[in-house]
Amino acid sequence: LDAVDDGTWLERLVSSSGKMVLLDKLLPHLKRNGHRVLLFSQFKMLLDLIEDYVRLTGFEYERLDGTVTGERRQAAIDRFCAPESGSFIFLLGTRAGGVGINLVAA
């Protein structure tokens, strides 16, 4: 898959499951209507795939999973919650530890 161009990879990623097809239809609609999205997953591998999708579609996003710690974690939260933030999606791993997370902006 490394040799595949971004457009082909995006097409294959979306068509790989019904849930990705739904996400591909739902996210642009939510974005147009001024919503912001928190997307949770128990699986880091699934977050990786969704991150590929989000990056390829051009949506601005933040990510917080078990590998993000300390200052980077708080910085991602602050960026997402900032009034002038362009971040549309926050990808969250359930193992990241939700204690003290306040995402009022979403």
Side-chain angles (χ1 to χ4, degrees):
L1 290 174
D2 291 331
V4 176
D5 65 273
D6 286 351
T8 302
W9 172 236
L10 179 60
E11 182 182 321
R12 288 181 182 176
L13 186 60
V14 170
S15 65
S16 67
S17 81
K19 290 178 183 172
M20 286 302 294
V21 171
L22 180 62
L23 198 63
D24 190 51
K25 292 178 181 178
L26 185 60
L27 288 178
H29 174 75
L30 291 171
K31 176 79 170 163
R32 276 192 306 275
N33 290 314
H35 296 279
R36 299 176 80 199
V37 175
L38 302 178
L39 202 150
F40 291 87
S41 176
Q42 289 181 300
F43 306 104
K44 184 183 177 301
M45 184 181 297
L46 181 58
L47 284 178
D48 294 342
L49 290 171
I50 294 172
E51 184 175 25
D52 284 349
Y53 167 80
V54 170
R55 182 183 51 79
L56 290 170
T57 54
F59 292 129
E60 291 185 48
Y61 70 97
E62 297 294 336
R63 178 173 173 160
L64 199 158
D65 62 28
T67 64
V68 180
T69 59
E71 290 179 14
R72 288 182 47 223
R73 174 184 176 180
Q74 190 58 51
I77 293 169
D78 292 345
R79 282 190 303 271
F80 188 80
C81 291
E84 70 281 353
S85 174
S87 294
F88 167 57
I89 300 173
F90 206 130
L91 304 175
L92 295 152
T94 56
R95 297 182 136 205
V99 178
I101 295 177
N102 182 1
L103 297 170
V104 176

XYZ file of all heavy atoms in Angstrom:
829
model
N 0.804 -1.212 0.000
C 0.000 0.000 0.000
C 0.842 1.269 0.000
O 0.317 2.329 -0.269
C -0.934 0.009 1.220
C -2.073 -1.009 1.187
C -2.822 -0.999 2.491
C -2.991 -0.773 0.034
N 2.124 1.161 0.338
C 2.975 2.342 0.371
C 3.123 2.986 -1.002
O 3.328 4.181 -1.105
C 4.359 1.999 0.933
C 4.309 1.666 2.409
O 3.409 2.201 3.103
O 5.146 0.880 2.863
N 3.018 2.193 -2.060
C 3.213 2.708 -3.413
C 1.934 3.319 -3.994
O 1.953 3.833 -5.097
C 3.710 1.594 -4.318
N 0.845 3.282 -3.265
C -0.436 3.776 -3.755
C -0.542 5.279 -3.492
O -0.162 5.768 -2.431
C -1.594 3.027 -3.058
C -2.935 3.583 -3.465
C -1.517 1.544 -3.353
N -1.083 6.020 -4.469
C -1.250 7.461 -4.278
C -2.352 7.734 -3.257
O -3.165 6.859 -2.942
C -1.565 8.151 -5.611
C -2.898 7.717 -6.173
O -2.920 6.694 -6.897
O -3.902 8.388 -5.895
N -2.391 8.959 -2.727
C -3.324 9.320 -1.660
C -4.783 9.134 -2.059
O -5.596 8.674 -1.252
C -3.102 10.771 -1.221
C -1.837 10.941 -0.394
O -1.226 9.923 -0.010
O -1.463 12.105 -0.124
N -5.134 9.483 -3.279
C -6.515 9.349 -3.728
C -6.979 7.901 -3.737
O -8.088 7.586 -3.300
N -6.117 7.024 -4.210
C -6.446 5.596 -4.244
C -6.540 5.036 -2.835
O -7.443 4.270 -2.513
C -5.390 4.814 -5.056
O -5.334 5.359 -6.370
C -5.721 3.341 -5.119
N -5.606 5.430 -1.981
C -5.611 4.959 -0.592
C -6.889 5.413 0.108
O -7.539 4.636 0.801
C -4.368 5.456 0.135
C -4.337 5.193 1.613
C -4.172 6.108 2.594
C -4.466 3.929 2.286
N -4.193 5.501 3.830
C -4.377 4.156 3.656
C -4.672 2.629 1.838
C -4.478 3.145 4.612
C -4.778 1.607 2.790
C -4.676 1.872 4.152
N -7.301 6.672 -0.102
C -8.527 7.184 0.506
C -9.737 6.398 0.003
O -10.594 5.988 0.797
C -8.692 8.672 0.212
C -9.947 9.335 0.778
C -9.982 9.231 2.300
C -10.016 10.792 0.336
N -9.795 6.161 -1.290
C -10.913 5.404 -1.872
C -10.987 3.991 -1.293
O -12.059 3.511 -0.914
C -10.747 5.344 -3.386
C -11.867 4.639 -4.106
C -11.605 4.586 -5.614
O -11.100 5.570 -6.170
O -11.901 3.531 -6.195
N -9.851 3.336 -1.192
C -9.820 1.978 -0.633
C -10.173 1.977 0.847
O -10.852 1.074 1.327
C -8.440 1.360 -0.839
C -8.168 0.988 -2.263
C -6.808 0.361 -2.414
N -6.525 0.044 -3.803
C -5.373 -0.435 -4.210
N -4.394 -0.660 -3.356
N -5.189 -0.699 -5.485
N -9.695 2.968 1.564
C -9.971 3.067 2.995
C -11.464 3.239 3.243
O -12.053 2.547 4.069
C -9.181 4.241 3.580
C -9.222 4.442 5.080
C -8.686 3.223 5.819
C -8.395 5.671 5.447
N -12.091 4.137 2.509
C -13.519 4.393 2.687
C -14.347 3.174 2.296
O -15.284 2.793 2.998
C -13.964 5.633 1.883
C -15.471 5.762 1.849
C -13.340 6.897 2.479
N -13.990 2.531 1.211
C -14.783 1.396 0.737
C -14.514 0.110 1.516
O -15.188 -0.901 1.295
C -14.549 1.155 -0.759
O -13.208 0.777 -0.990
N -13.569 0.139 2.447
C -13.199 -1.069 3.177
C -14.243 -1.514 4.188
O -14.269 -2.671 4.591
C -11.857 -0.873 3.887
O -11.981 0.099 4.915
N -15.126 -0.600 4.615
C -16.166 -0.996 5.574
C -17.349 -0.045 5.498
O -17.203 1.130 5.136
C -15.615 -1.038 6.999
O -15.573 0.253 7.562
N -18.487 -0.559 5.874
C -19.692 0.261 5.895
C -19.592 1.419 6.860
O -20.139 2.499 6.618
N -18.893 1.221 7.950
C -18.729 2.301 8.935
C -17.882 3.442 8.376
O -18.140 4.607 8.651
C -18.129 1.759 10.235
C -19.115 0.890 10.978
C -18.538 0.312 12.237
C -19.582 -0.595 12.876
N -19.061 -1.342 13.983
N -16.887 3.106 7.575
C -16.077 4.154 6.952
C -16.887 4.910 5.898
O -16.750 6.122 5.757
C -14.811 3.563 6.331
C -13.758 3.152 7.335
S -13.178 4.479 8.423
C -12.372 5.549 7.250
N -17.747 4.195 5.182
C -18.625 4.850 4.208
C -19.535 5.837 4.928
O -19.697 6.985 4.502
C -19.456 3.811 3.409
C -20.524 4.491 2.571
C -18.553 2.965 2.536
N -20.116 5.411 6.053
C -20.980 6.287 6.837
C -20.204 7.492 7.360
O -20.676 8.631 7.284
C -21.610 5.509 7.993
C -22.541 6.295 8.898
C -23.736 6.824 8.125
C -23.000 5.421 10.065
N -19.014 7.259 7.877
C -18.175 8.350 8.376
C -17.858 9.339 7.261
O -17.905 10.559 7.467
C -16.883 7.761 8.952
C -16.054 8.613 9.881
C -16.826 8.943 11.145
C -14.764 7.903 10.237
N -17.592 8.825 6.072
C -17.275 9.666 4.922
C -18.465 10.538 4.514
O -18.288 11.633 3.997
C -16.838 8.779 3.749
C -16.275 9.571 2.602
O -15.373 10.410 2.830
O -16.728 9.354 1.463
N -19.661 10.072 4.744
C -20.856 10.863 4.445
C -21.200 11.819 5.575
O -21.633 12.949 5.348
C -22.049 9.937 4.183
C -21.924 9.141 2.911
C -23.102 8.205 2.736
C -22.930 7.391 1.467
N -24.030 6.448 1.279
N -21.024 11.361 6.805
C -21.443 12.125 7.979
C -20.519 13.298 8.302
O -20.994 14.401 8.601
C -21.541 11.180 9.179
C -22.083 11.747 10.479
C -23.501 12.258 10.288
C -22.041 10.683 11.562
N -19.216 13.087 8.253
C -18.279 14.138 8.672
C -18.377 15.418 7.845
O -18.428 16.510 8.413
C -16.847 13.605 8.698
C -16.549 12.626 9.835
C -15.120 12.114 9.730
C -16.788 13.249 11.192
N -18.438 15.348 6.510
C -18.581 16.594 5.750
C -19.881 17.337 6.090
O -19.897 18.571 6.164
C -18.577 16.138 4.290
C -17.839 14.861 4.308
C -18.208 14.212 5.612
N -20.936 16.586 6.329
C -22.218 17.197 6.703
C -22.087 17.930 8.047
O -22.549 19.074 8.190
C -23.303 16.118 6.788
C -24.610 16.613 7.296
N -25.465 17.378 6.525
C -25.204 16.467 8.501
C -26.528 17.675 7.240
N -26.399 17.129 8.443
N -21.470 17.282 9.024
C -21.278 17.909 10.331
C -20.398 19.149 10.222
O -20.670 20.171 10.852
C -20.672 16.904 11.317
C -21.587 15.751 11.735
C -20.808 14.717 12.534
C -22.778 16.258 12.528
N -19.350 19.060 9.429
C -18.437 20.191 9.236
C -19.173 21.381 8.624
O -19.033 22.519 9.089
C -17.266 19.759 8.345
C -16.298 20.845 7.978
C -15.351 21.130 9.101
C -14.250 22.055 8.589
N -13.551 22.678 9.669
N -19.963 21.134 7.591
C -20.730 22.210 6.937
C -21.677 22.909 7.905
O -21.920 24.097 7.785
C -21.551 21.648 5.769
C -20.819 21.523 4.481
C -21.760 21.244 3.316
N -22.619 20.090 3.531
C -22.285 18.826 3.283
N -21.080 18.555 2.811
N -23.125 17.834 3.487
N -22.209 22.155 8.853
C -23.175 22.716 9.796
C -22.530 23.256 11.070
O -23.223 23.545 12.042
C -24.252 21.681 10.131
C -25.152 21.425 8.947
O -25.599 22.359 8.289
N -25.397 20.169 8.642
N -21.209 23.373 11.073
C -20.503 24.007 12.176
C -20.301 23.154 13.414
O -19.965 23.672 14.475
N -20.495 21.856 13.291
C -20.294 20.963 14.437
C -18.820 20.592 14.575
O -18.043 20.743 13.648
C -21.116 19.689 14.271
C -22.580 19.923 14.269
N -23.306 20.083 15.422
C -23.458 20.036 13.246
C -24.567 20.279 15.116
N -24.687 20.259 13.793
N -18.490 20.071 15.747
C -17.167 19.509 15.997
C -17.367 18.099 16.509
O -18.411 17.775 17.060
C -16.416 20.371 16.996
C -16.246 21.788 16.388
C -15.611 22.737 17.323
N -14.176 22.502 17.301
C -13.377 22.922 18.266
N -13.847 23.574 19.290
N -12.091 22.693 18.200
N -16.368 17.251 16.333
C -16.543 15.819 16.571
C -15.494 15.293 17.542
O -14.306 15.581 17.396
C -16.438 15.050 15.231
C -16.502 13.550 15.454
C -17.524 15.503 14.272
N -15.962 14.502 18.514
C -15.092 13.688 19.354
C -15.281 12.259 18.895
O -16.397 11.746 18.898
C -15.476 13.796 20.831
C -15.458 15.177 21.460
C -15.924 15.091 22.902
C -14.078 15.788 21.384
N -14.219 11.606 18.486
C -14.308 10.249 17.982
C -13.469 9.343 18.868
O -12.255 9.510 18.947
C -13.820 10.207 16.534
C -14.309 9.036 15.718
C -14.406 9.439 14.267
C -13.450 7.833 15.901
N -14.132 8.444 19.575
C -13.475 7.553 20.518
C -13.268 6.175 19.913
O -14.119 5.695 19.170
C -14.342 7.370 21.778
C -14.455 8.592 22.625
C -15.432 9.532 22.374
C -13.587 8.794 23.687
C -15.550 10.657 23.163
C -13.697 9.915 24.482
C -14.678 10.849 24.222
N -12.165 5.543 20.285
C -11.934 4.154 19.906
C -11.097 3.469 20.977
O -10.214 4.085 21.574
C -11.200 4.058 18.573
O -10.920 2.699 18.281
N -11.391 2.196 21.186
C -10.587 1.397 22.099
C -9.294 0.940 21.442
O -8.366 0.537 22.127
C -11.360 0.147 22.528
C -12.507 0.410 23.442
C -13.178 -0.895 23.831
O -13.658 -1.617 22.974
N -13.177 -1.186 25.111
N -9.260 0.982 20.126
C -8.161 0.374 19.394
C -7.288 1.415 18.714
O -7.755 2.176 17.865
C -8.709 -0.604 18.355
C -9.623 -1.635 18.956
C -10.990 -1.541 18.790
C -9.102 -2.673 19.712
C -11.835 -2.477 19.360
C -9.942 -3.613 20.288
C -11.308 -3.516 20.117
N -6.007 1.425 19.069
C -5.063 2.367 18.487
C -4.958 2.165 16.971
O -4.863 3.135 16.215
C -3.692 2.204 19.138
C -2.665 3.201 18.657
C -1.326 2.934 19.300
C -0.266 3.866 18.783
N -0.048 3.802 17.351
N -5.016 0.921 16.513
C -4.915 0.646 15.081
C -6.077 1.301 14.314
O -5.880 1.835 13.227
C -4.914 -0.864 14.815
C -4.709 -1.213 13.352
S -4.746 -2.989 13.014
C -3.353 -3.555 13.956
N -7.264 1.279 14.896
C -8.405 1.925 14.257
C -8.210 3.437 14.230
O -8.506 4.094 13.232
C -9.707 1.567 14.978
C -10.969 2.171 14.388
C -11.139 1.772 12.923
C -12.177 1.749 15.196
N -7.684 4.002 15.317
C -7.382 5.438 15.323
C -6.361 5.782 14.244
O -6.460 6.836 13.615
C -6.865 5.891 16.691
C -7.892 6.042 17.802
C -7.207 6.455 19.098
C -8.978 7.032 17.433
N -5.404 4.899 14.023
C -4.408 5.124 12.968
C -5.081 5.211 11.594
O -4.762 6.086 10.791
C -3.362 4.005 12.943
C -2.483 3.971 14.185
O -2.423 4.993 14.916
O -1.856 2.921 14.432
N -6.012 4.303 11.332
C -6.717 4.306 10.050
C -7.601 5.546 9.902
O -7.634 6.175 8.840
C -7.565 3.044 9.907
C -6.787 1.748 9.711
C -7.709 0.542 9.805
C -6.033 1.760 8.404
N -8.285 5.899 10.977
C -9.141 7.087 10.918
C -8.286 8.341 10.783
O -8.660 9.277 10.077
C -10.081 7.145 12.135
C -11.070 5.971 12.074
C -10.822 8.473 12.192
C -11.926 5.811 13.301
N -7.127 8.346 11.408
C -6.214 9.477 11.247
C -5.766 9.603 9.790
O -5.700 10.714 9.251
C -5.002 9.336 12.164
C -4.073 10.528 12.105
C -2.932 10.434 13.105
O -2.553 9.317 13.509
O -2.419 11.502 13.486
N -5.491 8.490 9.140
C -5.172 8.519 7.706
C -6.320 9.144 6.929
O -6.110 10.012 6.076
C -4.910 7.111 7.159
C -3.557 6.554 7.531
O -2.710 7.323 8.043
O -3.340 5.345 7.315
N -7.540 8.703 7.214
C -8.718 9.229 6.532
C -8.846 10.737 6.751
O -9.022 11.502 5.797
C -9.989 8.516 7.017
C -11.239 9.220 6.581
C -11.739 9.059 5.297
C -11.900 10.091 7.436
C -12.868 9.736 4.874
C -13.026 10.775 7.027
C -13.504 10.594 5.748
O -14.614 11.286 5.332
N -8.744 11.158 7.999
C -8.903 12.581 8.340
C -7.817 13.421 7.666
O -8.090 14.486 7.117
C -8.888 12.763 9.879
C -8.808 14.219 10.268
C -10.121 12.117 10.501
N -6.597 12.926 7.680
C -5.487 13.643 7.049
C -5.708 13.760 5.542
O -5.534 14.824 4.950
C -4.169 12.922 7.351
C -2.943 13.606 6.786
C -1.677 12.804 7.049
N -1.767 11.409 6.642
C -1.645 10.981 5.382
N -1.440 11.839 4.408
N -1.717 9.693 5.100
N -6.124 12.668 4.918
C -6.321 12.658 3.463
C -7.505 13.511 3.018
O -7.515 14.010 1.897
C -6.493 11.223 2.964
C -5.231 10.367 3.031
C -5.563 8.907 2.755
C -4.170 10.877 2.070
N -8.505 13.668 3.877
C -9.658 14.501 3.523
C -9.411 15.970 3.848
O -10.196 16.822 3.440
C -10.936 14.031 4.239
O -10.703 13.980 5.644
C -11.388 12.679 3.716
N -8.347 16.255 4.584
C -7.995 17.643 4.865
C -8.644 18.238 6.096
O -8.512 19.440 6.342
N -9.335 17.428 6.889
C -9.911 17.942 8.126
C -8.801 18.207 9.132
O -7.867 17.421 9.254
C -10.894 16.940 8.744
C -12.144 16.720 7.955
C -12.553 15.440 7.637
C -12.924 17.782 7.535
C -13.719 15.213 6.921
C -14.086 17.571 6.812
C -14.490 16.283 6.507
N -8.922 19.314 9.858
C -7.971 19.582 10.941
C -8.383 18.753 12.147
O -9.575 18.622 12.433
C -7.960 21.069 11.281
C -7.363 21.921 10.182
C -7.257 23.378 10.592
O -6.766 23.646 11.705
O -7.688 24.215 9.804
N -7.401 18.211 12.838
C -7.715 17.316 13.947
C -6.642 17.359 15.021
O -5.529 17.842 14.810
C -7.880 15.884 13.428
C -6.585 15.251 12.976
C -5.870 14.425 13.822
C -6.067 15.497 11.703
C -4.674 13.844 13.411
C -4.889 14.924 11.287
C -4.195 14.097 12.146
O -3.017 13.535 11.744
N -7.013 16.821 16.169
C -6.090 16.554 17.262
C -6.240 15.080 17.598
O -7.257 14.469 17.280
C -6.426 17.403 18.496
C -6.304 18.889 18.284
C -4.882 19.366 18.029
O -3.931 18.673 18.445
O -4.727 20.412 17.406
N -5.232 14.533 18.260
C -5.285 13.121 18.644
C -4.707 12.953 20.034
O -3.674 13.518 20.369
C -4.503 12.273 17.647
C -4.487 10.806 18.040
C -3.861 9.958 16.991
N -3.715 8.587 17.476
C -3.557 7.548 16.691
N -3.518 7.707 15.385
N -3.422 6.335 17.194
N -5.415 12.157 20.811
C -4.947 11.849 22.152
C -5.149 10.350 22.360
O -6.273 9.860 22.322
C -5.770 12.639 23.177
C -5.192 12.826 24.561
C -5.842 14.013 25.218
C -5.302 11.607 25.407
N -4.048 9.642 22.500
C -4.127 8.217 22.812
C -3.090 7.909 23.880
O -2.495 8.825 24.445
C -3.964 7.343 21.561
C -2.615 7.515 20.878
O -1.626 7.849 21.561
O -2.539 7.307 19.658
N -2.887 6.668 24.170
C -1.984 6.280 25.243
C -0.534 6.678 25.031
O 0.259 6.663 25.968
N -0.161 7.070 23.808
C 1.224 7.451 23.543
C 1.469 8.941 23.773
O 2.606 9.384 23.757
C 1.629 7.106 22.093
O 0.830 7.874 21.185
C 1.441 5.623 21.810
N 0.397 9.704 23.952
C 0.519 11.154 24.141
C 0.487 11.437 25.637
O -0.470 11.099 26.321
C -0.632 11.910 23.436
C -0.506 13.394 23.644
C -0.663 11.565 21.962
N 1.546 12.069 26.140
C 1.618 12.316 27.578
C 1.964 13.772 27.875
O 2.405 14.515 26.997
C 2.704 11.423 28.220
O 3.963 11.722 27.605
C 2.395 9.958 28.069
N 1.740 14.127 29.116
C 2.198 15.393 29.660
C 1.795 16.629 28.899
O 0.624 16.863 28.624
N 2.800 17.430 28.562
C 2.568 18.720 27.924
C 1.913 18.580 26.554
O 1.081 19.402 26.175
C 3.879 19.495 27.788
C 4.430 19.981 29.106
C 5.739 20.732 28.935
O 6.084 21.111 27.794
O 6.407 20.942 29.955
N 2.291 17.558 25.806
C 1.679 17.353 24.479
C 0.185 17.087 24.603
O -0.606 17.529 23.783
C 2.367 16.198 23.750
C 3.767 16.564 23.265
C 4.451 15.442 22.487
N 3.600 14.851 21.487
C 3.514 13.537 21.282
N 4.212 12.694 22.020
N 2.720 13.070 20.339
N -0.190 16.347 25.627
C -1.604 16.040 25.867
C -2.381 17.320 26.148
O -3.414 17.575 25.531
C -1.709 15.074 27.039
C -3.108 14.794 27.467
C -3.116 13.914 28.692
N -4.489 13.756 29.107
C -4.870 13.058 30.142
N -3.986 12.446 30.883
N -6.127 12.958 30.447
N -1.893 18.116 27.072
C -2.583 19.353 27.423
C -2.596 20.337 26.255
O -3.573 21.030 26.031
C -1.949 20.002 28.657
C -2.763 21.156 29.217
C -4.181 20.736 29.601
O -4.377 19.758 30.312
N -5.169 21.475 29.128
N -1.516 20.364 25.496
C -1.460 21.261 24.340
C -2.519 20.886 23.303
O -3.164 21.759 22.726
C -0.066 21.233 23.712
N -2.718 19.583 23.073
C -3.742 19.142 22.125
C -5.133 19.536 22.607
O -5.965 20.010 21.826
C -3.660 17.627 21.926
N -5.391 19.369 23.887
C -6.684 19.759 24.467
C -6.883 21.261 24.331
O -7.948 21.728 23.921
C -6.782 19.306 25.936
C -6.813 17.780 26.015
C -8.012 19.916 26.609
C -6.643 17.220 27.412
N -5.853 22.026 24.676
C -5.944 23.492 24.591
C -6.191 23.958 23.162
O -6.994 24.863 22.930
C -4.676 24.149 25.142
C -4.527 23.963 26.653
O -5.512 23.595 27.322
O -3.400 24.168 27.147
N -5.496 23.341 22.199
C -5.700 23.718 20.797
C -7.135 23.443 20.353
O -7.755 24.248 19.673
C -4.719 22.972 19.877
C -3.316 23.538 19.879
C -2.468 22.919 18.778
N -2.390 21.469 18.848
C -1.469 20.791 19.534
N -0.547 21.438 20.209
N -1.474 19.468 19.527
N -7.652 22.287 20.730
C -9.012 21.930 20.324
C -10.055 22.851 20.968
O -11.035 23.225 20.332
C -9.313 20.473 20.687
C -10.621 19.981 20.141
C -10.719 19.589 18.822
C -11.751 19.907 20.940
C -11.931 19.134 18.297
C -12.960 19.453 20.432
C -13.045 19.064 19.111
N -9.832 23.207 22.220
C -10.813 24.004 22.968
C -10.711 25.503 22.704
O -11.618 26.246 23.073
C -10.665 23.743 24.466
S -11.184 22.084 24.941
N -9.639 25.950 22.093
C -9.459 27.385 21.837
C -10.588 27.908 20.952
O -10.976 27.246 19.980
C -8.113 27.631 21.169
N -11.121 29.094 21.268
C -12.235 29.648 20.486
C -11.920 29.791 18.993
O -12.795 29.592 18.160
C -12.472 31.020 21.115
C -11.875 30.940 22.472
C -10.747 29.945 22.383
N -10.686 30.089 18.647
C -10.315 30.285 17.247
C -9.793 29.002 16.603
O -9.302 29.023 15.480
C -9.263 31.393 17.133
C -7.889 31.041 17.682
C -7.753 31.112 19.200
O -8.673 31.566 19.889
O -6.697 30.700 19.706
N -9.962 27.884 17.289
C -9.439 26.614 16.811
C -10.075 26.198 15.488
O -11.281 26.304 15.299
C -9.693 25.516 17.845
O -9.318 24.261 17.328
N -9.237 25.705 14.599
C -9.734 25.167 13.343
C -9.933 23.660 13.414
O -10.383 23.052 12.453
N -9.567 23.078 14.555
C -9.695 21.631 14.702
C -11.156 21.212 14.675
O -11.975 21.715 15.429
C -9.058 21.158 16.011
O -7.675 21.361 15.989
N -11.454 20.275 13.803
C -12.813 19.789 13.626
C -13.041 18.472 14.361
O -14.111 18.211 14.887
C -13.077 19.617 12.122
C -14.306 18.847 11.767
C -15.551 19.246 12.224
C -14.227 17.718 10.975
C -16.697 18.524 11.895
C -15.363 16.999 10.643
C -16.596 17.402 11.106
N -12.023 17.639 14.415
C -12.162 16.300 14.998
C -11.097 16.095 16.066
O -9.938 16.459 15.890
C -12.002 15.207 13.928
C -13.058 15.367 12.843
C -12.073 13.815 14.543
C -12.862 14.442 11.672
N -11.513 15.484 17.174
C -10.566 15.064 18.202
C -10.644 13.549 18.267
O -11.677 12.982 18.612
C -10.921 15.675 19.564
C -9.745 15.817 20.482
C -9.496 17.016 21.107
C -8.883 14.763 20.732
C -8.420 17.168 21.966
C -7.801 14.902 21.584
C -7.571 16.112 22.202
N -9.565 12.884 17.876
C -9.472 11.431 17.934
C -8.986 11.043 19.320
O -7.917 11.482 19.754
C -8.493 10.914 16.873
C -8.773 11.318 15.431
C -7.647 10.842 14.520
C -10.109 10.784 14.980
N -9.769 10.229 20.013
C -9.463 9.882 21.396
C -9.407 8.377 21.584
O -10.339 7.666 21.206
C -10.534 10.454 22.329
C -10.593 11.968 22.388
C -11.988 12.439 22.728
C -9.584 12.475 23.389
N -8.327 7.925 22.172
C -8.228 6.530 22.564
C -8.776 6.391 23.967
O -8.484 7.208 24.837
N -9.574 5.363 24.194
C -10.177 5.201 25.514
C -9.136 4.869 26.580
O -9.382 5.066 27.759
C -11.263 4.107 25.498
O -10.686 2.886 25.022
C -12.424 4.513 24.612
N -7.977 4.419 26.174
C -6.911 4.110 27.133
C -6.058 5.340 27.455
O -5.119 5.256 28.227
C -6.017 3.013 26.591
C -6.759 1.722 26.396
C -5.846 0.654 25.908
N -6.160 -0.554 26.661
C -5.334 -1.534 26.876
N -4.114 -1.476 26.408
N -5.706 -2.585 27.559
N -6.393 6.462 26.854
C -5.600 7.667 27.082
C -5.828 8.234 28.476
O -5.075 9.065 28.947
C -5.933 8.727 26.036
N -6.874 7.790 29.127
C -7.161 8.289 30.462
C -7.941 9.571 30.398
O -7.390 10.621 30.136
N -9.218 9.476 30.608
C -10.095 10.633 30.476
C -10.190 11.477 31.724
O -10.956 12.420 31.767
N -9.426 11.188 32.746
C -9.503 11.936 33.978
C -9.054 13.369 33.757
O -7.962 13.630 33.254
C -8.638 11.280 35.072
C -8.687 12.094 36.348
C -9.098 9.859 35.324
N -9.912 14.293 34.069
C -9.564 15.700 33.974
C -9.688 16.309 32.588
O -9.365 17.470 32.388
N -10.158 15.549 31.630
C -10.312 16.099 30.276
C -11.640 16.841 30.197
O -12.681 16.291 30.506
C -10.247 14.996 29.203
C -8.863 14.366 29.184
C -10.598 15.566 27.839
C -8.739 13.228 28.195
N -11.566 18.084 29.790
C -12.755 18.906 29.620
C -12.742 19.444 28.206
O -11.967 20.315 27.883
C -12.752 20.039 30.654
C -13.995 20.903 30.547
O -14.870 20.658 29.722
N -14.060 21.899 31.398
N -13.618 18.892 27.367
C -13.662 19.302 25.965
C -14.994 20.014 25.682
O -15.776 19.587 24.855
C -13.479 18.088 25.057
C -12.132 17.392 25.188
C -12.123 16.080 24.435
C -11.022 18.299 24.690
N -15.207 21.092 26.383
C -16.445 21.847 26.275
C -16.650 22.348 24.850
O -17.780 22.432 24.362
C -16.446 23.029 27.266
C -17.684 23.887 27.100
C -16.332 22.519 28.689
N -15.583 22.655 24.160
C -15.678 23.209 22.801
C -16.398 22.272 21.847
O -16.953 22.697 20.853
C -14.292 23.520 22.267
N -16.365 20.982 22.129
C -17.016 20.021 21.231
C -18.505 20.023 21.481
O -19.284 19.612 20.694
C -16.451 18.634 21.445
